[in-house]
Amino acid sequence: MKQLPAIHLRALEPEDLELLYQIENDRELWRVGATNVPYSRYVLRDYIANTCSDIYADRQLRMMIEDDSRQTVGIVDLVNFDPRHMRAEVGLVIAAPYRRRHYATATVRELCRYADDVLHLHQLYIVADRDNNPAIQLFLNEHFLLTSTLREWLFTGSEYRDAVVLQTFFEKK
């Protein structure tokens, strides 16, 4: 079994502005996410300053991923939080220099522990382009189930693409 890097999840800090700006404005990531507009530093600075980092207040939770030396390696989000049904959608970006070093796997495991033990969620899910094999395989390997296909769910600007939904469920103790 591969050795996973140690990671820590933490709240956003003002010092995260530049990494957040780079990730939010990376057009390559737009094709796998829900955004298709650039964000200004002003808007992102305001977001950092005004987020409560409380999933109930914000209906989302964004956390920075740090390695053991406290170097920021990525961002993980819980969005579309539904407090009635206790579920949230996962978004995950590992910064380019840290990809293919198992940070994504370590993050999904830690996020699932946090969602179950701290937030007491019933489920997490992702919506991914049907051809995003690295993301699909990552979540399948971490006990998510491929549960449905959403026909023509994602628009690339020139075509509609199918998406798949993967879910994991937490047993209440």
Side-chain angles (χ1 to χ4, degrees), residues 89-106:
E89 182 178 354
V90 177
L92 172 63
V93 176
I94 301 298
Y98 301 97
R99 292 181 188 151
R100 293 184 248 319
R101 293 170 51 187
H102 309 297
Y103 284 105
T105 300

Side-chain angles (χ1 to χ4, degrees), residues 74-87:
I75 301 172
V76 65
D77 299 316
L78 292 176
V79 297
N80 297 323
F81 171 61
D82 185 325
R84 179 172 181 224
H85 302 292
M86 297 305 287
R87 65 177 172 240

